Amino acid sequence: MNIHKRALLAIVLASLLSSCDDDSRIDPQKQMGPDPEIPKAQNFLLPPMKVPEAVAWKNGEMPKVAEGLKIEKIAEGLKHPRQVYVLPNNDILVAEANGPVKKAPARPKDIVMGMVQKSSGKGGEGGNRITLLRNVGGKWQKHIFIAHLNSPFGMQLIGNTLWVANADSLVKFPYQEGQTEIRGSGDVVTELPGGPINHHWTKSLLASPDGSKLYVGVGSNSNITENGIGAEDRRAAILEVDAATGASRIYANGLRNPTGLQWEPESGKLWAIVNERDEIGSDLVPDYMTSVQEKGFYGWPYSYYGQHVDERVKPPRPDLVEKAIKPDYAISSHVAPLGFLFYTGDNMPQYRNGAFVSEHGSWNRKPLNGYQVMWVKFENGQPVGLPKPVVTGFLTDDRKQVRGLPVGLAMDKQGGVLIADDAGDTVWRVSAAP
């Protein structure tokens, strides 16, 4: 056995041994809300890993929905659908991607982590394209709308310009209502942090209400700067881009991986969902949603959930920890929120005044957590109470197999909620039951 294989075996064995004493000791509901329970951090050579086996949706199988709702499949056979976006004529754009090809050498630890995660359906080649879905006479047509993109994620239409956030650039395309294809590579407006590592490659995207600015969520290039602080330039941040010139600045930082951005309807404030750090236990650190203050700092990598110091990060920065803003609302540990939607429609009035969040699901927590779309009520511009599950069933009842992984969320013109199902290669639509 060569040195590389021995290193991999050692890491796997260490992971199995360390996982024996890392079962969650906290009810996830105690880590939901403005004041989550924060236990003592643990430390591992490799975080304990637990993922369900990926299986395909069987004929007729669908996710489960809350009482009073129905769900239907509107597209299948996609290649890792990540985000959905509704155009003014009710056509639906679907960004298909699964991350750029990694060019940097991977550590044995990264290889093992990748192998474990792929077993849950997170592996495989993405489409690197945007597909357009159109409802014609009750049947959904599928068109390749833009091809040859570089791991697209966020999409926004401003006037007659379609903006797409690739893994390494923000590009724009001319758009005419009704067209089913855009050719060409688009115009690069500004480069986005990418590079040979590009650890968190997804780039969430949101236009300002007047269309003059675009906000881009850029994840960190590591868990806690193990790739060096130099690799984190303009990362773990929300960038503000001037739509006219492409000039950009850091709007807020210390957000480890801001995967979804939205304007809260009542207050008009910018809100984000954030994936927090790993490798310090099943109950750390809670992922969260928060309003985002201009020039605000939210702790990463030096602290988490406000001013809880991460002792692993060297050298420490007590000056930055002191500035760290506590997030508004925790949604429990390792759920991996990837989709975010404030619901303003009339089709499901019980969900107005609240936000849907899709949870891609844990891979390093025992027991599993996430794998659902949940809803949080808002009052006076702030979340209140506990989240309510709305779309479940992505995990089998025995929680040993996963059929789908919810990601992007959008609302269509009829008030239905669209869900991009990453592992299921499907787009679902949820609406009021007859």
Side-chain angles (χ1 to χ4, degrees):
M1 186 182 296
N2 62 35
I3 294 175
H4 187 63
K5 289 182 178 179
R6 284 201 299 269
L8 285 175
L9 179 60
I11 290 174
V12 171
L13 290 173
S15 173
L16 292 173
L17 290 172
S18 65
S19 67
C20 296
D21 61 354
D22 188 45
D23 289 9
S24 170
R25 294 172 174 84
I26 297 177
D27 182 342
Q29 288 199 348
K30 293 183 179 180
Q31 291 196 308
M32 297 176 181
D35 296 300
E37 185 174 333
I38 303 292
K40 183 179 178 181
Q42 302 180 63
N43 207 347
F44 305 95
L45 173 63
L46 189 74
M49 299 182 188
K50 181 176 177 61
V51 296
E53 174 194 7
V55 296
W57 291 102
K58 296 178 182 177
N59 188 33
E61 281 186 337
M62 290 186 289
K64 302 173 184 178
V65 292
E67 185 178 357
L69 304 179
K70 68 174 183 178
I71 189 167
E72 58 187 316
K73 180 191 297 183
I74 67 171
E76 60 184 344
L78 299 163
K79 298 182 73 174
H80 286 285
R82 292 283 184 159
Q83 284 291 350
V84 280
Y85 185 80
V86 179
L87 294 169
N89 67 344
N90 218 27
D91 285 347
I92 299 165
L93 300 183
V94 185
E96 301 171 67
N98 202 25
V101 175
K102 293 183 179 180
K103 300 176 183 178
R107 301 167 300 169
K109 170 180 170 180
D110 298 325
I111 295 171
V112 175
M113 291 168 69
M115 291 168 57
V116 172
Q117 292 187 64
K118 283 180 181 179
S119 69
S120 67
K122 298 177 182 178
E125 183 182 357
N128 287 322
R129 65 191 181 196
I130 293 174
T131 290
L132 182 143
L133 306 179
R134 175 173 293 171
N135 192 326
V136 179
K139 294 185 178 180
W140 287 92
Q141 297 178 349
K142 192 163 54 174
H143 304 270
I144 296 178
F145 191 60
I146 306 177
H148 310 300
L149 295 169
N150 183 21
S151 297
F153 195 74
M155 300 170 285
Q156 292 281 285
L157 180 68
I158 302 175
N160 293 319
T161 300
L162 179 67
W163 300 77
V164 178
N166 280 320
D168 60 357
S169 62
L170 181 62
V171 298
K172 65 179 182 179
F173 298 85
Y175 168 77
Q176 293 182 352
E177 186 169 299
Q179 68 185 121
T180 58
E181 182 184 16
I182 295 178
R183 297 186 179 183
S185 56
D187 296 326
V188 176
V189 177
T190 186
E191 302 293 332
L192 297 175
I197 304 174
N198 214 358
H199 179 61
H200 290 124
W201 60 269
T202 58
K203 304 296 190 293
S204 52
L205 186 63
L206 180 68
S208 64
D210 66 359
S212 65
K213 301 288 192 296
L214 290 124
Y215 295 86
V216 186
V218 182
S220 66
N221 221 355
S222 61
N223 184 33
I224 49 153
T225 69
E226 60 270 19
N227 294 320
I229 196 66
E232 305 298 343
D233 184 40
R234 291 165 56 83
R235 283 183 170 269
I238 295 172
L239 306 181
E240 182 187 74
V241 181
D242 185 275
T245 67
S248 65
R249 68 180 179 113
I250 295 176
Y251 182 82
N253 65 350
L255 301 144
R256 180 176 174 271
N257 191 12
T259 50
L261 305 175
Q262 287 275 285
W263 299 109
E264 197 282 315
E266 186 170 350
S267 67
K269 292 181 178 179
L270 178 63
W271 275 70
I273 50 172
V274 178
N275 284 232
E276 253 293 356
R277 67 203 73 197
D278 301 313
E279 303 183 29
I280 48 178
S282 283
D283 296 316
L284 285 176
V285 171
D287 298 326
Y288 61 85
M289 65 169 71
T290 191
S291 58
V292 181
Q293 299 179 27
E294 185 176 358
K295 298 182 180 179
F297 176 71
Y298 290 82
W300 190 89
Y302 304 103
S303 66
Y304 51 87
Y305 222 86
Q307 299 175 355
H308 294 86
V309 175
D310 193 327
E311 303 289 352
R312 299 171 296 174
V313 183
K314 304 296 181 184
R317 287 291 304 272
D319 56 324
L320 290 179
V321 172
E322 186 177 358
K323 293 171 53 179
I325 299 170
K326 179 183 175 185
D328 287 291
Y329 189 91
I331 51 179
S332 77
S333 295
H334 306 304
V335 297
L338 289 181
F340 193 26
L341 173 67
F342 282 106
Y343 185 75
T344 57
D346 296 325
N347 183 264
M348 300 180 289
Q350 66 272 41
Y351 295 110
R352 280 200 302 263
N353 303 316
F356 290 101
V357 177
S358 66
E359 300 175 348
H360 204 231
S362 63
W363 59 269
N364 60 349
R365 185 184 188 278
K366 296 173 60 181
L368 298 170
N369 200 15
Y371 299 94
Q372 65 177 349
V373 178
M374 59 84 162
W375 178 82
V376 180
K377 184 178 180 179
F378 271 61
E379 289 182 356
N380 300 317
Q382 286 293 319
V384 295
L386 291 175
K388 296 181 179 180
V390 178
V391 187
T392 58
F394 295 96
L395 282 175
T396 53
D397 290 342
D398 61 9
R399 302 181 69 81
K400 293 182 179 180
Q401 295 179 316
V402 63
R403 295 173 283 206
L405 299 168
V407 189
L409 302 172
M411 186 182 74
D412 64 22
K413 301 305 178 183
Q414 292 75 40
V417 171
L418 308 168
I419 306 170
D421 179 349
D422 173 19
D425 292 334
T426 298
V427 174
W428 306 98
R429 181 178 187 268
V430 178
S431 60

